[in-house]
Amino acid sequence: MMKYFSTMKLYLPIGIVSAILVIIISYFSPGIIQTVDDGWLNIAYRIRGESNIDSSIAVLYIDADDIKALGGLPLKRSYYALLANALNNRGARVIGFDIAFSESNVEYKQHDRLFASVIHNINNVVLSGYFQTISDTGTSVEENIPSRFLIPFNNNAQWHYGSRFDLPYRTLCDAAGGMGHSHFNNSKNVPLFIATQGKLLPSFAFELIRVCLSKSNAEIAFNQNNVSIQSNGNNINFPFDKDGNLNINFVGGIQSLNLISAVEFLKSYDANSINNKQENIQNFIQGKIVLFGIISEGRSKFIQTPFSDEFPSIGIHAMVLHNALNKNFLEYSNTTLNTILILLLGFFAGVLLAIRKEIYRLLSVLGLATLILALSLGLFSLNNFVLPVSAPIFTIVLSFTVGIFYRHRSMKTFMRHLSEERTQFINEIEEKQSALEKLQTELAGSSSADRTSDRDNMLVQIKKYEEEISRLRTAAIDYQPDLSSTENNQPEMEIFEGIAYSTNGPMHEVISFIQKIANTPSTVLILGESGTGKELVARALHVRSERKSRAFIPVNCGALSESLLESELFGHEKGAFTGAMKERPGRFELADSGTIFLDEIGDTSESFQVKLLRVLQDGTFERVGGTSIKKVNVRVIAATNKNLKQNVIDKTFREDLYYRLNVLTIHLPPLRERRDDIPILIQQFLQEEDEKMRCSLGVMNALRQNPWKGNIRELQSIVKRAILIAKTENRTLIQLRDLPDEISKTTIVSLDFEEHIPMLLRAKKFSRNSISETAKELGGISRGTVAEYFRGYCFKTFCESNWDIEKTVKIISGSDNQDYNEKIRNKISDYFNNAIELVDPVAGIEENIQKSKPKYKNLPQKYHTYLNKLIESYCQRSWLKL
């Protein structure tokens, strides 16, 4: 936990600074962010789906065909008079005409008077008008809007100001029951009021509500961000934002409107009047707010909404009415809330960036972004609240991107420092190697006549240089990060229920067997040395069985005395022994229908084994101090590091219990037999502790060579210890000095190319580029040096195998794969045949060695003896040309 908080301190500033940067961008350049938020709002609308507007709102319209049939625009005012009269007769509560009646018709003045007369008699008609100029500042232009339509100025918001209002002709204006402006800013909002003449002119929809409720302007109440009209104890509210706008909440597209053709309505009205029937029309009109407007391309305005690319302007007023009657105007979060949200997300993003595992960190960040989208969608769908998502998600993405860049830059800096230090060692190696080769050349050119003391002195110097070069190479390797986990030719890794292993190793068969037997009810005996992962295997058996939803109960039998073990497993009754203050169920009862894991079963006493045998036979037992028989259904998995078969022979373990336990047996190989799994396990332990941690090539090689008497448990302990030591020095590379002395000192002494080169080539499966890659990993030495060391190793192995080529191949390859070994055989056969290329079997051994001097040229000095033996054995026919 402390490690996590330490890492979190590094990444919290990244999240907070990212949040502050997004806040600044949102304030000074809101355009892009607003565009993204608008796009998300449209998606939220689509997810929420469409519905119909309030049934108390009806929209009458005339379209292009109606206009043509009626003789074109402008229509005669007598037509409007007829329509208004018909609507009133059919019980409309209020009628709104969203039509421009700004000029009196000189040719048909009687129609104008008729229309005005009908409007005056009805007294529930609201007309609309339009300001030719809208601005954010006041105007000195004097308007002629009757004061009865205006509301006293209120400074709760930054109202829009209007001038040059297209007022309906005077007689019609005087007859109207109300007047409202028909402006809307866009598809998102409508100005609630527009300031003019020092007062406020309400919007068309607001005025329809006021007239519908028969309220005077004096009965309108202004609050902080809300205007309300009281109706029968129930307030109809119009919440406005700081700019005085109503935020429209669309319930659907044009199909959501309660539409009826005005022409069809009048036809139906006339027909029903003659037949004295009015049911259909009355149901559509009676008691409703009726809007009338033109819906025709080129004759009226259309706008884009979340549900429609061409939504009629009359529909905007209908949506505002719907929002007012149902109290579901959109509410947008304010600047303060947005700022707090962005800062909080910056904080949480910083917290999540500290997660060690890359995949978990990515999933957490994606989860946080998904949570914001889900929260925004939920608030919008349930409460009509619009929570912005672009700035919060941009904060998360920016934090994550900067965090990745920071990690990458830190790792790049770290790798550069390592490379610089390693280069210093390589330069020293080259100097020492050059001096060594010079001495070897002098020694090879000296004759037996030269003074013995000079030759001995050269041999001492050669040995000194070889030791120094070996030390420098060890240091260089210790500054080279191990990249085995990223190599494509490394053994393929699998993880089965927490068990990491290579697919070509001995654990592959073990895992396959576990998968086969996991779902059987049979008892399982797990055999293996301490630390090989027996409990992990037992848990895997449980998780992969039908009992996985029930309890898994582990018991370490070797850690408890016989009396405590019996009480622990079978439970005890109250008063069964001193201290038994109450009854207690045992582990078998707790594991009923599940699995019990009995670890170190080989350390139990014979008397206890008798009681355990009874449970295994029929599932029954008695609590300590009890008389009643308990019965359970438990799967038993036992484990031991003992040789139970030998214990049976020695009479220390009951034979009948052994056969009862040994139904299915799993043998876990020790770690020394799982060499290919060691890098995989190390990588897993590093990821669990700190994913930034790496180990040097020297450390990896040392850990692969260790005998691991404590197996995986010992390996894990040493890796954890090394990580802690490295962190105290603020390093992310584990080096040899971080390992225990018994490993590091032995490794430093034995860290020789003879051991490393074959191992690295073997890990790369002797691929075409394996020599070049090995040279790079070993501190950037030459490719030829690697090849010569490997050639000498082949000579040595062949000699020590007593000229048995097949045995030599198996030792070098470390595999039983025939195809793989055939490739190795061909390669080393070329080495051997080339070594004896100049040998004449008829000549003497000394003569052949002298003739073969070119074959010794680049071969390391330590392998010259083996080449001598190779030539000698060939001359003696110990082996034939391959």
Side-chain angles (χ1 to χ4, degrees):
M1 186 60 70
M2 293 301 296
K3 293 185 297 183
Y4 177 76
F5 282 119
S6 176
T7 306
M8 191 171 66
K9 289 179 182 179
L10 298 175
Y11 291 101
L12 271 181
I14 293 177
I16 299 299
V17 171
S18 297
I20 294 173
L21 182 60
V22 171
I23 292 171
I24 294 173
I25 294 173
S26 302
Y27 183 80
F28 289 102
S29 182
I32 296 177
I33 290 177
Q34 188 59 55
T35 300
V36 175
D37 280 331
D38 289 345
W40 166 248
L41 185 58
N42 286 340
I43 293 173
Y45 269 117
R46 297 298 178 91
I47 294 175
R48 188 183 69 179
E50 296 188 62
S51 59
N52 293 325
I53 65 169
D54 196 287
S55 58
S56 64
I57 304 167
V59 178
L60 264 69
Y61 69 93
I62 55 174
D63 57 19
D65 293 336
D66 296 334
I67 292 171
K68 184 177 181 181
L70 294 171
L73 293 178
L75 300 180
K76 295 179 181 179
R77 304 288 162 78
S78 58
Y79 182 82
Y80 295 118
L82 177 62
L83 183 62
N85 187 63
L87 291 170
N88 183 63
N89 289 339
R90 292 301 180 238
R93 291 185 66 185
V94 64
I95 305 167
F97 282 94
D98 188 22
I99 301 289
F101 299 115
S102 56
E103 295 181 2
S104 179
N105 194 325
V106 179
E107 185 177 354
Y108 297 99
K109 286 186 177 182
Q110 67 277 19
H111 293 173
D112 287 350
R113 289 194 295 271
L114 174 63
F115 186 31
S117 175
V118 171
I119 295 300
H120 181 269
N121 291 334
I122 294 175
N123 199 32
N124 67 346
V125 175
V126 176
L127 303 177
S128 70
Y130 195 86
F131 287 101
Q132 295 185 25
T133 303
I134 296 289
S135 66
D136 294 330
T137 58
T139 176
S140 60
V141 177
E142 207 44 54
E143 302 292 336
N144 57 353
I145 303 173
S147 59
R148 69 188 182 94
F149 297 137
L150 300 175
I151 299 172
F153 191 86
N154 183 285
N155 60 356
N156 280 0
Q158 298 178 2
W159 308 109
H160 300 283
Y161 290 84
S163 60
R164 301 172 63 192
F165 187 71
D166 288 334
L167 194 69
Y169 61 91
R170 176 56 60 184
T171 55
L172 183 63
C173 188
D174 293 341
M179 177 74 65
H181 72 80
S182 59
H183 286 273
F184 47 87
N185 298 323
N186 46 47
S187 63
K188 292 174 59 180
N189 52 51
V190 170
L192 178 56
F193 298 104
I194 292 180
T196 184
Q197 299 176 201
K199 295 185 178 182
L200 299 175
L201 180 67
S203 66
F204 184 48
F206 181 90
E207 190 70 351
L208 281 166
I209 294 287
R210 184 191 68 79
V211 173
C212 179
L213 299 177
S214 302
K215 300 295 181 179
S216 66
N217 287 341
E219 295 178 277
I220 297 172
F222 281 84
N223 298 311
Q224 183 63 34
N225 296 107
N226 183 71
V227 176
S228 61
I229 305 174
Q230 190 170 10
S231 174
N232 298 325
N234 182 29
N235 288 345
I236 296 181
N237 298 311
F238 291 82
F240 56 86
D241 60 23
K242 62 183 180 62
D243 297 319
N245 297 319
L246 298 169
N247 294 311
I248 304 172
N249 183 5
F250 286 89
V251 296
I254 190 170
Q255 66 274 12
S256 69
L257 302 174
N258 298 322
L259 292 171
I260 185 171
S261 168
V263 173
E264 294 299 321
F265 166 74
L266 287 176
K267 289 179 180 179
S268 180
Y269 173 77
D270 290 340
N272 288 335
S273 296
I274 295 172
N275 298 324
N276 197 27
K277 293 181 180 180
Q278 58 183 27
E279 288 81 0
N280 293 335
I281 297 177
Q282 185 164 334
N283 289 337
F284 188 81
I285 297 299
Q286 187 172 15
K288 296 186 179 182
I289 300 172
V290 181
L291 299 173
F292 175 78
I294 298 173
I295 302 179
S296 175
E297 189 70 37
R299 304 287 187 173
S300 62
K301 188 175 182 180
F302 291 86
I303 59 173
Q304 186 177 17
T305 70
F307 297 107
S308 177
D309 291 334
E310 294 184 345
F311 192 75
S313 57
I314 190 69
I316 297 292
H317 304 303
M319 288 296 170
V320 174
L321 289 172
H322 171 85
N323 294 160
L325 294 175
N326 292 275
K327 300 181 180 180
N328 61 358
F329 282 103
L330 290 185
E331 181 182 357
Y332 285 80
S333 61
N334 56 41
T335 304
T336 301
L337 179 60
N338 293 342
T339 302
I340 293 173
L341 178 63
I342 293 171
L343 288 173
L344 281 175
L345 287 174
F347 173 83
F348 284 118
V351 171
L352 296 178
L353 282 171
I355 295 176
R356 296 192 302 272
K357 289 193 175 182
E358 189 75 34
I359 184 64
Y360 291 162
R361 184 168 62 248
L362 177 60
L363 291 176
S364 298
V365 170
L366 290 176
L368 184 60
T370 303
L371 179 63
I372 292 299
L373 293 176
L375 179 62
S376 175
L377 183 60
L379 290 173
F380 174 74
S381 300
L382 300 176
N383 297 311
N384 307 304
F385 186 86
V386 179
L387 183 72
V389 298
S390 58
I393 291 181
F394 184 41
T395 300
I396 297 171
V397 172
L398 182 61
S399 301
F400 187 64
T401 303
V402 173
I404 291 176
F405 176 78
Y406 173 76
R407 285 174 183 267
H408 175 73
R409 187 177 182 84
S410 300
M411 183 58 67
K412 191 174 181 180
T413 302
F414 169 69
M415 295 296 290
R416 187 179 68 250
H417 289 161
L418 288 179
S419 179
E420 290 172 355
E421 293 184 54
R422 191 165 59 88
T423 300
Q424 294 178 5
F425 289 115
I426 293 173
N427 292 336
E428 289 187 57
I429 291 173
E430 290 177 350
E431 292 177 5
K432 303 290 184 184
Q433 187 73 39
S434 177
L436 175 62
E437 290 174 356
K438 184 177 180 182
L439 276 174
Q440 288 175 334
T441 302
E442 291 179 8
L443 180 63
S446 64
S447 65
S448 57
D450 294 332
R451 288 188 306 170
T452 303
S453 60
D454 291 339
R455 290 176 59 83
D456 290 344
N457 186 50
M458 280 192 285
L459 287 173
V460 169
Q461 290 295 319
I462 287 173
K463 183 173 180 59
K464 180 180 177 182
Y465 275 119
E466 286 179 342
E467 290 175 352
E468 184 66 14
I469 289 171
S470 178
R471 184 189 65 80
L472 290 172
R473 282 172 176 163
T474 299
I477 293 171
D478 204 24
Y479 279 89
Q480 172 75 30
D482 176 66
L483 304 175
S484 61
S485 61
T486 60
E487 294 283 352
N488 293 330
N489 52 13
Q490 288 297 308
E492 185 178 351
M493 183 183 80
E494 292 285 348
I495 295 181
F496 174 79
E497 301 298 342
I499 305 171
Y501 66 100
S502 62
T503 55
N504 62 351
M507 280 300 293
H508 179 68
E509 293 184 8
V510 174
I511 298 301
S512 298
F513 186 63
I514 291 173
Q515 292 173 322
K516 291 177 182 177
I517 69 171
N519 207 29
T520 65
S522 301
T523 303
V524 180
L525 179 62
I526 305 174
L527 302 176
E529 297 178 6
S530 294
T532 50
K534 294 187 288 295
E535 183 172 343
L536 205 57
V537 169
R539 288 185 181 275
L541 286 166
H542 173 72
V543 171
R544 288 302 180 103
S545 72
E546 294 179 350
R547 299 171 183 261
K548 61 183 178 183
S549 60
R550 307 308 294 265
F552 174 83
I553 306 294
V555 181
N556 189 333
C557 300
L560 300 172
S561 64
E562 181 179 347
S563 58
L564 287 177
L565 181 59
E566 184 177 352
S567 173
E568 188 72 21
L569 288 180
F570 305 130
H572 61 256
E573 298 290 349
K574 180 178 179 182
F577 50 82
T578 303
M581 305 301 295
K582 60 180 180 179
E583 68 175 26
R584 179 187 176 191
R587 296 299 184 93
F588 270 99
E589 288 181 70
L590 296 175
D592 192 17
S593 299
T595 304
I596 190 167
F597 173 56
L598 304 177
D599 197 9
E600 298 186 27
I601 192 69
D603 294 337
T604 56
S605 67
E606 186 175 359
S607 61
F608 175 78
Q609 293 171 20
V610 173
K611 297 175 182 178
L612 182 59
L613 182 62
R614 179 183 174 189
V615 182
L616 294 176
Q617 286 175 337
D618 54 21
T620 62
F621 63 92
E622 295 174 3
R623 288 181 179 173
V624 177
T627 56
S628 62
I629 296 176
K630 304 284 185 181
K631 186 173 180 62
V632 291
N633 175 17
V634 176
R635 185 188 191 183
V636 176
I637 300 176
T640 182
N641 58 6
K642 309 286 186 184
N643 186 340
L644 285 189
K645 185 174 287 188
Q646 184 61 45
N647 288 1
V648 170
I649 295 172
D650 296 339
K651 305 298 183 181
T652 58
F653 198 84
R654 291 183 62 91
E655 185 175 11
D656 48 1
L657 179 59
Y658 171 71
Y659 289 116
R660 181 66 67 174
L661 291 172
N662 195 28
V663 178
L664 295 170
T665 306
I666 296 175
H667 293 270
L668 293 184
L671 188 56
R672 59 184 172 275
E673 296 177 8
R674 298 173 56 188
R675 295 292 179 185
D676 286 344
D677 290 356
I678 291 177
I680 294 171
L681 292 168
I682 292 172
Q683 186 64 26
Q684 185 185 36
F685 299 150
L686 291 176
Q687 288 290 322
E688 290 174 356
E689 293 297 316
D690 189 340
E691 68 171 11
K692 293 187 297 182
M693 276 290 171
R694 299 288 184 272
C695 64
S696 73
L697 183 61
V699 169
M700 180 61 74
N701 293 339
L703 297 180
R704 292 185 70 160
Q705 294 173 33
N706 197 57
W708 298 118
K709 295 179 180 179
N711 293 294
I712 299 174
R713 186 183 294 120
E714 182 187 3
L715 173 63
Q716 184 176 25
S717 176
I718 285 177
V719 171
K720 285 186 176 182
R721 173 187 183 275
I723 291 173
L724 291 174
I725 295 174
K727 282 190 172 183
T728 61
E729 300 179 11
N730 295 320
R731 286 185 286 110
T732 56
L733 182 71
I734 299 173
Q735 296 179 303
L736 286 170
R737 64 177 181 267
D738 302 323
L739 301 180
D741 289 345
E742 61 268 20
I743 296 179
S744 60
K745 287 183 178 179
T746 304
T747 302
I748 291 173
V749 172
S750 65
L751 199 58
D752 198 336
F753 280 11
E754 178 185 340
E755 300 174 6
H756 280 76
I757 289 176
M759 181 178 62
L760 294 175
L761 292 175
R762 192 180 296 124
K764 294 172 175 50
K765 300 188 182 301
F766 294 91
S767 63
R768 178 177 298 177
N769 297 323
S770 60
I771 290 181
S772 299
E773 292 172 1
T774 299
K776 183 179 179 182
E777 288 186 21
L778 290 173
I781 63 176
S782 70
R783 185 180 185 280
T785 300
V786 174
E788 287 303 311
Y789 265 92
F790 180 64
R791 185 167 73 103
Y793 174 74
C794 292
F795 294 159
K796 177 187 175 185
T797 306
F798 193 38
C799 292
E800 293 175 349
S801 299
N802 199 25
W803 323 116
D804 186 336
I805 185 63
E806 300 305 328
K807 183 178 179 181
T808 302
V809 168
K810 285 187 178 181
I811 292 174
I812 293 174
S813 71
S815 171
D816 291 325
N817 185 287
Q818 293 183 358
D819 293 336
Y820 179 50
N821 285 347
E822 184 63 24
K823 180 171 71 173
I824 304 300
R825 190 183 192 282
N826 293 334
K827 189 175 189 68
I828 63 178
S829 294
D830 290 341
Y831 285 152
F832 300 155
N833 293 335
N834 179 267
I836 60 168
E837 183 180 20
L838 304 177
V839 174
D840 182 2
V842 178
I845 294 175
E846 288 296 331
E847 182 182 349
N848 279 318
I849 290 177
Q850 287 298 323
K851 289 173 62 177
S852 300
K853 280 295 182 183
K855 306 300 180 181
Y856 292 78
K857 182 178 181 181
N858 297 316
L859 188 69
Q861 182 73 32
K862 63 185 297 182
Y863 296 117
H864 286 195
T865 301
Y866 296 106
L867 182 52
N868 291 343
K869 290 181 179 180
L870 189 74
I871 294 173
E872 182 180 352
S873 62
Y874 178 72
C875 291
Q876 295 173 351
R877 300 294 182 178
S878 298
W879 61 281
L880 300 177
K881 192 172 183 180
L882 302 175

